[in-house]
Amino acid sequence: MVSKYIAESGVFLGDDLLGANQSNPYGHYEDREVMDIHNKILLDSGTNWRVDHRLVPRVADATFSAMSRFVERRHIAHPIWGFKDPRVCHFLPIWKSVAPDAKTLVVFRNPIACTNSLYKRHGYDTARDPRKKVVDFYRKPDLALKIWIVSNEALADFAEANPESTLVVSHQAVIDGFPVTAEINRRWDFELGAESIDSVRDEILGRSFDKALRVSDAGVAARAREVWNRLLKLEDITVTSSGHDKTDHPDLRFVPQQDVGQLLMEAELLRFENEFLRNARVASGTADNSTELRKRLKSAKRELEAARQEVDTMRRDLAYLLGKARKAPYNFFFGRKRGVRQLSEKYGLRD
């Protein structure tokens, strides 16, 4: 949505752009040449776009030369140009070294909304074609939230290091009417058209997102809150200084559910698979074609509940054993054994 808004305001974003699909009816406005460059860096760095850890990118000489040629061509052909690609979060310092006068617009979005968007997209993709299933999302607990964390952490680092050339604004502020192009013109002396965001507004994205997100690791939720607060502070510096009355942002609501992480992710993704098939069935008026998927979902829920019960049983057993140990003649020894202390702290069994 924001990319379409920027493009219609007069910024050239590329000739060969990633097209529209069900999850993004406006089109992604992502330049395929830039995507290829970023994918090459990720490959050389031993990873892919599902980066869930702090990345130190490895840039081959040939790739750096390709970036330089890309910038030179764009400078010659277009007075105002830019590009958009989510992967760029990890490579902004590299692009800054190639194009030192470049300005950066950072638009950040609620991590719970982003996480559920990834779940929904991949659940839908799997329902349409099981061969497109991204197994990582089903097997790595909290993967989507970790991707948000490391990407936005990198954005916050870059914005803090380059305050004069970076504008940070929340997705919600743009939807609420913050004049992005007018602020770009004011700060950096551009001459973009002052198009209204209403022309590209996505009402679905604009709805408040009040659903809580279940996470298997409370530490991951804490990191997400920390990064979110950093971004809000950066937005305060830029947006409110321009006179915009920033609306309140919703609190992040996480529900930690440890020890059942993989089952939790599978159940969430199966829910979106089932939703897609149910919607397709209603739209086509055909007979129920999601029976098998509903069975898988019910099975996953049963496994999830069994895992929870197993965890509860383990806690009770540990409480009993630790209680016995404390009452034993060697209570002094047991009470100070490192392993017993760690178990007590982990399962909340301290006196």
Side-chain angles (χ1 to χ4, degrees):
M1 182 189 73
V2 178
S3 299
K4 179 174 170 49
Y5 172 46
I6 293 297
E8 291 187 356
S9 298
V11 180
F12 176 79
L13 295 181
D15 290 314
D16 186 12
L17 301 178
L18 190 65
N21 59 19
Q22 182 174 354
S23 64
N24 194 336
Y26 293 115
H28 293 77
Y29 285 82
E30 294 169 18
D31 189 300
R32 293 183 188 274
E33 184 176 356
V34 174
M35 291 172 60
D36 289 342
I37 290 173
H38 291 164
N39 285 332
K40 182 64 169 61
I41 298 175
L42 289 169
L43 181 63
D44 290 344
S45 303
T47 186
N48 54 39
W49 67 268
R50 297 183 293 281
V51 181
D52 61 355
H53 58 276
R54 200 61 178 268
L55 180 66
V56 179
R58 298 178 59 183
V59 184
D61 291 342
T63 305
F64 191 83
S65 296
M67 296 170 72
S68 299
R69 290 194 301 271
F70 173 84
V71 171
E72 290 172 4
R73 293 199 313 270
R74 288 294 171 88
H75 276 331
I76 293 171
H78 304 281
I80 303 178
W81 63 273
F83 64 80
K84 171 232 175 177
D85 181 18
R87 300 163 185 78
V88 80
C89 299
H90 307 287
F91 313 129
L92 284 171
I94 304 170
W95 282 106
K96 188 71 172 175
S97 68
V98 177
D101 295 329
K103 312 302 181 187
T104 305
L105 171 64
V106 173
V107 181
F108 65 96
R109 188 178 171 202
N110 185 296
I112 295 179
C114 288
T115 296
N116 278 278
S117 178
L118 274 174
Y119 287 161
K120 182 175 182 178
R121 190 178 80 189
H122 290 287
Y124 278 21
D125 286 347
T126 303
R128 280 193 294 265
D129 185 353
R131 293 172 298 180
K132 294 182 178 179
K133 182 175 182 177
V134 180
V135 177
D136 284 353
F137 282 104
Y138 292 78
R139 293 184 179 175
K140 294 184 178 181
D142 304 327
L143 174 60
L145 184 56
K146 290 176 182 177
I147 292 172
W148 183 92
I149 289 171
V150 296
S151 297
N152 286 271
E153 200 169 42
L155 288 176
D157 288 346
F158 183 82
E160 289 168 353
N162 301 275
E164 297 302 319
S165 61
T166 306
L167 171 62
V168 181
V169 60
S170 68
H171 187 267
Q172 190 61 50
V174 178
I175 290 174
D176 291 342
F178 174 67
V180 176
T181 53
E183 178 63 11
I184 290 174
N185 291 340
R186 186 191 71 81
R187 292 191 60 180
W188 297 320
D189 198 26
F190 281 23
E191 296 182 355
L192 300 181
E195 299 292 336
S196 169
I197 192 65
D198 291 337
S199 64
V200 296
R201 187 189 301 273
D202 189 327
E203 296 297 341
I204 295 177
L205 289 176
R207 294 172 190 163
S208 61
F209 198 88
D210 57 3
K211 179 184 176 182
L213 180 70
R214 297 184 297 176
V215 295
S216 61
D217 186 346
V220 174
R223 280 188 65 199
R225 287 194 183 94
E226 180 183 348
V227 175
W228 175 252
N229 287 328
R230 286 179 65 191
L231 292 168
L232 290 180
K233 289 179 181 178
L234 287 164
E235 184 182 34
D236 283 337
I237 294 171
T238 57
V239 173
T240 55
S241 66
S242 66
H244 174 61
D245 183 15
K246 182 162 64 68
T247 58
D248 291 334
H249 291 271
D251 292 333
L252 304 185
R253 297 192 296 129
F254 297 106
V255 181
Q257 294 185 343
Q258 60 183 351
D259 300 315
V260 289
Q262 183 175 336
L263 289 171
L264 195 67
M265 299 302 103
E266 290 177 353
E268 192 71 12
L269 286 154
L270 285 170
R271 180 174 70 83
F272 282 118
E273 288 183 42
N274 190 45
E275 178 184 286
F276 173 83
L277 291 175
R278 183 173 62 250
N279 292 342
R281 185 180 70 253
V282 171
S284 64
T286 58
D288 187 352
N289 60 354
S290 61
T291 301
E292 183 61 29
L293 188 57
R294 285 204 302 274
K295 289 180 180 178
R296 289 167 58 195
L297 183 59
K298 288 180 180 179
S299 176
K301 288 181 177 178
R302 286 196 298 268
E303 291 182 38
L304 184 63
E305 183 57 35
R308 287 174 180 161
Q309 292 177 3
E310 185 177 351
V311 171
D312 289 341
T313 301
M314 181 177 63
R315 287 170 59 90
R316 288 194 296 270
D317 290 345
L318 283 171
Y320 174 77
L321 291 173
L322 290 171
K324 286 289 187 181
R326 292 191 182 100
K327 294 178 182 178
Y330 303 103
N331 180 45
F332 180 87
F333 172 76
F334 279 111
R336 285 156 180 78
K337 284 289 287 182
R338 183 177 180 183
V340 174
R341 286 205 314 274
Q342 290 176 337
L343 288 173
S344 298
E345 293 170 359
K346 180 176 180 179
Y347 293 103
L349 301 174
R350 283 184 162 181
D351 292 332

